[in-house]
């Protein structure tokens, strides 16, 4: 994801997540058929992989495990714990990142001082934060929260800086020339200009921070979704692990694709028409 | 009246990005950046001195350890091992990603067909790749290679698809008017148009693949950067861990910089890069 | 002596809902020898479609087109409305791209680059040139294959008035030197009168409305009163055609 954030040849959307929404295909029936075929192929490939690498669970076992986890209330308990940590770390990252990002966007000095450090932050993988925080803070709540904060932060900084730079100076001068009221200038010029990058900041932070949370809970926690998936892995029950992976994906799809992506599409619609 | 409103902040000339502003006052910029880095190290040293426990070693300990690792050649062995696996993975990703991207770019059916797998590959948390890499392939090189291929695949396929779509219909009609044979059209129209897209697919995919590959090595490997990070963790050796982290970051930034420069050189015809 | 023979040419498009639109209607046209023929007509009269069919880019619904030179198929050069240069190839490489006869293409390419006044820009990429320069490269490219027939589709319409005037003069000079059969599509009557030996007026619906022979000495100047008189006359007929439609 690193490169999305820098000035890059605007060739394509570099993050597959945001890729092509299936909605744009002309034949609805065809695309549903293709989707079904696709799911069927995935299932076939999975079964073949199972024959070869014997420890992969079957989908039926996985779904059954999902059912027992649900019945045992494990899903709600662990998600409640994790989302608490996640939101705390993410909000911290958004606040601090926004402050740094605005500074970088406005001041050449701040940019020169902070952009190399930001690059370092972007380059460091989340697992390092997870392992370091585990060593530093042990198995407490600080480990996941700090990891979430650190893995989300650089993405917020870069995208908020981008948002600030997107403020169109010439249009603001135009607005002044026409003596447009301040509120209208804010809502008609600045808000639309920065909305795209600001939402992108949240999206990238969510994706990266979620990844960090899972790792931090895997290595340094005794509760939460990451810990629960490790529990099954340690018990050598791969169906339990896969069941939790499906939940991780579902959470990301829910937050990123169903909640944030449509907002971003709306906010940047004017660029694409 | 809007004038003299706080909005003024926004009326500064819109700041250029890092790369374009560099040449103008590069020296000053570099100096500020350097001082900032030094300051960060000083803060780190102060924190280490305050805590004075080997849970946070001083920067000098870590730099010393880095030098040792370079002198002993260990760094090169493990980075070479990791990079080899990534290259093999990217080879696989290109092998599958280019035809898939072509199919997606040419046919809406194929685009719908590959939408779900590519979305999944691009969105699986790194943890999952690492665990399944270990479960299926054990601690050999197979896991990291397959994992980097799967991570890179959507980047390459989607970029190639974008490239195929971008091939200008006007140019293709021009080729027909001058009756160019198909082979020539592939070589002179499709290949150059796609090369740029494949390259940025590689560039975008690289950072992700590099991180997930290292993660896979953390979970299970016999050598490689991730393996060394894991060993430092198991031995509770924070100094080693920080040293390897520094190497990881440095190498990643260097390779990125290299790819960036290479892209500018190869694709000099592109205005948006120039 | 190149020879273009178009017989009973029809073209209809069918849209997604099955509705048919006729864009060319029983076109009969014979051009032989070194004639400069302009095709004018209001927009939607099928000018570009006609040119595309002649070049082989599009196929006709019915009818026939034959392009002959002596006893063989004629070689065709095409200048498009937009330059259509390969952006990733230099100017010379772009000219090289369209050559079938590899023997002395470089001499030819340099020759025509000189003729359009861009001999010194052979190593540039298209993105480094202005729109007018790119269009001149497109013209040099078309001449450099030494075509028997030259097709041009509003080649100057995207350029500003000054640039297109100077390019028209360039074109006339090159044409006077190399003498080819030209089919030139334009919506600009001044341009048509200044350049052509014959003007074919297409009516909406794609029929040939009338054919006007232009018998004025060359090189012609836009300021020549005889050109101006003829222009006014063609324009009057054109307006009558539009009023009738």
């Amino acid at each position: 994801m690193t490169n999305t954030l820098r000035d890059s040849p605007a060739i394509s959307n570099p993050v597959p997540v945001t890729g092509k929404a299936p909605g744009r295909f002309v034949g609805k029936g065809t695309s549903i058929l293709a989707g079904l075929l696709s799911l069927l192929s995935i299932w076939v490939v999975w079964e073949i992989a199972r024959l070869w690498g014997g420890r992969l669970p079957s989908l039926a076992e996985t779904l059954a495990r999902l059912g027992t986890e649900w019945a045992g209330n494990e899903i709600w308990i662990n998600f409640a714990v994790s989302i608490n940590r996640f939101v705390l770390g993410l909000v911290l990252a958004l606040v601090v990142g926004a402050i740094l990002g605005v500074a970088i966007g406005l001041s050449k000095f701040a940019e020169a001082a902070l952009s190399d450090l930001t690059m370092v932050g972007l380059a460091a993988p989340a697992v390092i934060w997870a392992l370091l925080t585990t060593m530093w803070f042990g198995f407490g709540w600080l480990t996941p929260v700090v990891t979430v904060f650190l893995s989300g932060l650089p993405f917020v900084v870069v995208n908020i800086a981008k948002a600030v730079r997107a403020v169109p100076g010439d249009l603001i001068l135009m607005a002044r020339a026409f003596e447009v009221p301040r509120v209208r200038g804010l809502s008609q010029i600045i808000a639309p200009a920065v909305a795209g990058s600001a939402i992108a900041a949240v999206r990238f932070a969510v994706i990266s921070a979620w990844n960090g949370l899972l790792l931090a809970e895997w290595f340094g926690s005794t509760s939460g979704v990451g810990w629960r998936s490790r529990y099954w892995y340690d018990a050598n029950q791969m169906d339990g692990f896969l069941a939790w992976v499906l939940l991780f994906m579902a959470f990301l799809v829910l937050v990123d694709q169903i909640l944030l992506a449509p907002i971003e599409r709306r906010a940047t619609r004017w660029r694409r028409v | 009246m809007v004038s003299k409103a706080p909005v003024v902040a926004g009326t500064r000339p819109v700041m250029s990005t890092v790369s374009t502003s560099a040449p103008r006052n590069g020296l000053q910029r570099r100096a500020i950046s350097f001082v900032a880095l030094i300051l960060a190290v000083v803060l780190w040293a102060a924190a280490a001195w305050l805590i004075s426990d080997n849970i946070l070693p001083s920067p000098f300990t870590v730099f010393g350890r880095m030098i040792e690792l370079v002198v002993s050649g260990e760094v090169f062995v493990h980075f070479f091992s990791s990079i080899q696996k990534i290259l093999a993975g990217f080879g696989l990703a290109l092998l599958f990603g280019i035809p898939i991207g072509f199919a997606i770019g040419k046919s809406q059916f194929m685009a719908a067909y590959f939408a779900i797998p590519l979305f999944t590959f691009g969105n699986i948390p790194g943890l999952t790749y690492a665990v399944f890499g270990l479960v299926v392939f054990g601690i050999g090189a197979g896991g990291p290679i397959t994992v980097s291929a799967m991570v890179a695949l959507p980047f390459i396929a989607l970029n190639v698809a974008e490239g195929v779509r971008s091939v200008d219909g006007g140019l293709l009609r021009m080729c027909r008017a001058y009756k160019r044979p198909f082979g020539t059209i592939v070589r002179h129209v499709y290949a150059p148009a796609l090369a740029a897209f494949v390259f940025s697919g590689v560039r975008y995919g690289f950072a992700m693949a590099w991180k997930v590959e290292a993660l896979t090595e953390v979970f299970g490997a016999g050598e490689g950067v991730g393996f060394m990070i894991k060993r430092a963790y198991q031995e509770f050796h924070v100094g080693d861990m920080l040293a390897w982290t520094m190497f990881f970051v440095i190498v990643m930034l260097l390779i990125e910089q290299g790819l960036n420069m290479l892209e500018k050189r190869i694709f000099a015809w592109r205005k948006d890069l120039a | 002596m190149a020879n273009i023979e178009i017989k009973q040419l029809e073209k209809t498009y069918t849209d997604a809902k099955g509705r048919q639109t006729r864009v060319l209607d029983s076109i009969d046209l014979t051009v032989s020898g070194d004639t400069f023929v302009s095709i004018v007509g209001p927009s939607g009269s099928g000018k570009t479609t006609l040119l595309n069919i002649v070049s082989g880019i599009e196929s006709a619904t019915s009818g026939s087109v034959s392009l002959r030179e002596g006893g063989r198929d004629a070689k065709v050069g095409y200048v498009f409305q937009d330059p259509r240069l390969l952006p990733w190839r230099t100017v010379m490489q772009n000219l090289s791209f369209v050559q079938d006869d590899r023997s002395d293409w470089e001499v030819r390419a340099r020759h025509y680059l000189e003729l359009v006044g861009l001999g010194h820009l052979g190593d540039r990429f298209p993105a480094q040139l202005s729109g007018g320069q790119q269009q001149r490269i497109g013209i040099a490219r078309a001449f450099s294959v030494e075509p028997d027939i030259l097709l041009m589709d509003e080649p100057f319409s995207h350029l500003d008035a000054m640039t297109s005037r100077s390019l028209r003069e360039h074109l006339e000079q090159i044409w006077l030197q190399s003498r080819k059969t030209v089919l030139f599509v334009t919506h600009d009557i001044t341009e048509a009168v200044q350049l052509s030996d014959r003007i074919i007026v297409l009516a909406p619906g794609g029929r040939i409305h009338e054919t006007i022979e232009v018998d004025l000495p060359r090189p012609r100047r836009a300021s020549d009163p005889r050109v101006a008189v003829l222009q006014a006359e063609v324009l009057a007929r054109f307006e009558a055609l539009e009023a009738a439609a």
Side-chain angles (χ1 to χ4, degrees):
Chain A
M1 254 171 298
T2 310
N3 285 302
T4 48
L5 317 161
R6 258 184 301 151
D7 55 325
S8 53
I11 288 187
S12 76
N13 200 326
V15 181
V17 189
T18 54
K20 315 290 164 204
R24 65 184 203 86
F25 298 112
V26 190
K28 260 249 157 69
T30 321
S31 83
I32 290 173
L33 177 71
L36 289 177
L37 274 177
S38 174
L39 288 174
L40 187 71
S41 320
I42 292 174
W43 181 72
V44 168
V45 169
W46 184 260
E47 289 301 316
I48 291 171
R50 253 160 59 73
L51 288 179
W52 183 47
R55 285 177 68 198
L56 293 179
S58 82
L59 292 181
E61 287 164 5
T62 306
L63 290 179
R65 183 69 74 183
L66 213 51
T68 58
E69 290 288 271
W70 174 278
N73 242 350
E74 290 293 345
I75 294 180
W76 294 121
I77 294 170
N78 288 300
F79 260 96
V81 172
S82 291
I83 287 177
N84 244 329
R85 299 165 175 165
F86 183 62
V87 169
L88 186 56
L90 190 65
V91 167
L92 273 177
L94 288 173
V95 171
V96 176
I99 294 169
L100 294 177
V102 168
I104 290 180
L106 291 181
S107 129
K108 264 204 147 68
F109 180 81
E111 193 211 356
L114 293 175
S115 60
D116 283 350
L117 287 170
T118 311
M119 288 306 298
V120 170
L122 287 173
V127 64
I128 288 191
W129 300 133
L131 295 178
L132 275 176
T133 51
T134 305
M135 290 159 107
W136 284 336
F137 308 119
F139 283 52
W141 63 277
L142 262 177
T143 298
V145 170
V146 173
T147 305
V148 165
F149 170 73
L150 288 174
S151 25
L153 183 67
F155 291 90
V156 181
V157 172
V158 177
N159 278 292
I160 293 294
K162 210 178 191 178
V164 172
R165 287 181 196 131
V167 172
D170 46 351
L171 288 185
I172 288 170
L173 288 180
M174 178 278 287
R176 263 200 238 170
F178 284 100
E179 302 195 352
V180 174
R182 191 189 303 181
V183 174
R184 207 190 305 159
L186 206 66
S187 71
Q188 303 290 311
I189 299 177
I190 296 185
V194 305
S197 292
I199 296 164
V202 179
R203 291 187 65 189
F204 290 131
V206 163
I207 294 170
S208 173
W210 182 244
N211 185 38
L213 175 84
L214 297 179
L215 287 168
E217 289 185 341
W218 179 279
F219 287 108
S221 188
T222 51
S223 58
V225 294
W227 164 80
R228 190 66 187 170
S229 68
R230 174 161 195 178
Y231 170 86
W232 291 115
Y233 172 78
D234 284 344
N236 203 10
Q237 301 281 322
M238 293 308 290
D239 50 353
F241 176 75
L242 184 61
W244 279 94
V245 167
L246 294 181
L247 291 172
F248 299 158
M249 295 279 298
F251 178 81
L252 255 197
V253 168
L254 186 75
V255 174
D256 188 62
Q257 291 290 300
I258 298 180
L259 220 68
L260 294 173
I263 301 178
E264 183 173 2
R265 266 200 292 281
R266 255 194 89 80
T268 57
R269 202 180 31 191
W270 56 273
R271 261 184 235 161
R272 276 169 287 120
V273 229
Chain B
M1 281 284 288
V2 150
S3 47
K4 294 178 190 79
V7 177
V8 173
T11 62
R12 297 162 137 274
V14 176
M15 273 203 43
S16 44
T17 36
V18 182
S19 54
T20 45
S21 65
R24 237 184 308 140
N25 47 9
L27 202 69
Q28 197 189 358
R29 198 184 167 282
R30 240 161 246 288
I32 297 172
S33 167
F34 185 70
V35 171
L37 283 178
I38 294 287
L39 207 69
V41 171
V42 168
L43 277 177
W44 170 8
W49 180 74
L50 270 175
I51 293 172
S52 107
D53 185 306
N54 56 12
I55 202 168
L56 184 61
S58 82
F60 311 105
T61 320
V62 174
F63 294 149
R65 192 73 190 105
M66 286 173 78
I67 292 168
E68 279 171 37
L69 288 172
V70 170
V71 171
S72 73
E74 252 181 292
V75 169
F76 305 106
V77 174
H78 291 286
F79 270 95
F80 187 64
S81 160
S82 293
I83 287 173
Q84 259 183 329
K85 292 175 210 168
I86 290 183
L87 285 182
F90 264 89
L92 281 177
L94 287 172
L95 201 67
F96 289 98
I98 293 179
I100 291 177
F102 231 95
I104 295 178
K106 283 284 178 198
S107 133
Q108 294 187 339
F109 181 84
M110 293 314 256
Y113 179 81
F114 281 110
I116 298 175
L118 289 184
F119 176 86
T120 313
F121 280 9
N123 280 280
I124 297 179
L127 175 67
T128 321
Y129 276 121
V131 169
F132 280 119
L134 177 62
V135 166
V136 176
F137 294 95
I139 60 165
I145 291 176
T146 312
V147 162
S148 13
M150 287 170 88
V151 172
L153 184 73
F155 288 90
I156 289 167
L158 290 178
N159 265 295
V160 168
E162 203 63 35
V164 169
R165 289 194 198 106
S166 82
V167 168
D168 180 5
L171 284 184
L172 292 179
R173 279 193 288 281
M174 181 274 285
C175 292
R176 280 180 76 175
Y178 286 99
K179 308 218 162 30
R180 295 298 87 200
F182 181 70
T184 315
I185 297 178
V186 167
R187 213 177 99 216
H188 292 279
V189 180
Y190 276 110
L194 284 185
F197 284 88
V198 171
F199 199 96
S200 43
V202 169
R203 205 158 77 77
Y204 289 135
F206 170 76
M208 280 295 282
W210 187 215
K211 285 182 181 176
V212 180
E213 195 271 344
L215 181 63
T216 310
E217 287 178 349
V218 169
F219 275 75
E223 56 179 359
V225 187
F227 169 71
M228 293 311 284
I229 288 174
K230 191 229 189 113
R231 215 172 67 175
Y233 172 70
Q234 282 173 334
E235 293 168 358
F236 213 87
H237 205 307
V238 181
D240 267 20
M241 174 96 121
L242 288 175
W244 282 102
T245 305
M246 301 272 238
F247 283 127
F248 184 94
V249 168
I250 292 169
V251 170
M252 176 143 155
L253 293 181
L254 280 182
I255 293 181
E256 278 226 314
Q257 201 66 34
L259 286 176
N260 221 336
M261 275 160 55
L262 205 64
E263 188 171 33
K264 282 196 177 138
R265 271 186 77 107
I266 301 180
F267 304 113
W269 55 268
R270 268 181 34 198
K271 217 180 198 167
D272 53 323
L273 283 179
Chain C
M1 282 266 278
N3 199 31
I4 303 177
E5 212 170 299
I6 299 172
K7 279 187 191 149
Q8 284 300 307
L9 191 70
E10 309 246 342
K11 176 74 180 178
T12 45
Y13 287 111
T14 312
D15 68 10
K17 288 180 185 152
R19 280 179 308 219
Q20 294 199 326
T21 323
R22 171 165 297 181
V23 286
L24 289 174
D25 187 0
S26 48
I27 302 276
D28 278 307
L29 177 63
T30 307
V31 183
S32 51
D34 311 329
T35 322
F36 198 117
V37 179
S38 283
I39 301 168
V40 300
S43 47
S45 56
K47 303 181 298 271
T48 299
T49 308
L50 177 60
L51 214 57
N52 280 345
I53 292 174
V54 170
S55 73
I57 294 178
E58 280 184 67
S59 57
T61 310
S62 68
S64 71
V65 175
S66 99
L67 310 175
R68 303 290 290 171
E69 163 71 34
R72 60 178 172 84
D73 281 343
K75 194 187 254 183
V76 174
Y78 201 135
V79 181
F80 301 87
Q81 212 167 343
D82 45 345
R84 295 205 188 162
L85 303 172
L86 304 176
W88 38 78
R89 296 283 184 258
T90 62
V91 167
M92 276 304 273
Q93 286 167 342
N94 262 288
L95 264 56
S96 153
F97 175 70
V98 296
Q99 308 295 330
D100 283 322
D101 178 8
R102 308 299 304 178
S103 53
D104 51 353
W105 73 269
E106 229 172 319
V107 180
R108 285 199 307 274
R110 294 233 174 267
H111 172 67
Y112 286 105
L113 276 185
E114 294 293 343
L115 279 185
V116 296
L118 297 177
H120 56 297
L121 295 181
D123 295 327
R124 298 282 184 91
F125 286 109
Q128 296 169 302
L129 306 177
S130 72
Q133 288 172 326
Q134 292 185 20
Q135 197 60 3
R136 280 195 268 174
I137 304 293
I139 294 171
R141 174 174 66 186
F143 276 98
S144 73
V145 299
E146 308 257 84
D148 308 305
I149 297 166
L150 191 59
L151 307 175
M152 306 181 95
D153 182 11
E154 307 195 23
F156 309 132
S157 63
H158 286 348
L159 305 172
D160 63 88
M162 295 291 280
T163 314
S164 60
R165 196 173 62 92
S166 100
L167 282 192
R168 264 201 299 280
E169 279 169 15
H170 257 97
L171 176 64
E172 193 183 19
Q173 276 164 22
I174 303 174
W175 182 75
L176 285 173
Q177 285 176 35
S178 58
R179 287 289 178 174
K180 312 205 179 286
T181 311
V182 178
L183 274 190
F184 185 95
V185 164
T186 179
H187 59 248
D188 180 345
I189 288 164
T190 317
E191 189 168 87
V193 171
Q194 199 189 332
L195 290 170
S196 328
D197 300 312
R198 192 194 302 170
I199 299 173
I200 291 170
V201 183
L202 285 185
R207 279 172 306 98
I208 292 183
H209 178 69
E210 68 178 314
T211 304
I212 303 164
E213 299 291 335
V214 183
D215 193 13
L216 295 174
R218 289 177 189 272
R220 299 171 188 162
R221 295 259 164 268
S223 52
D224 184 333
R226 289 170 299 183
V227 171
V229 168
L230 192 59
Q231 251 172 48
E233 197 186 316
V234 177
L235 194 58
R237 293 198 218 175
F238 207 80
E239 280 171 350
L241 169 66
E242 279 184 319

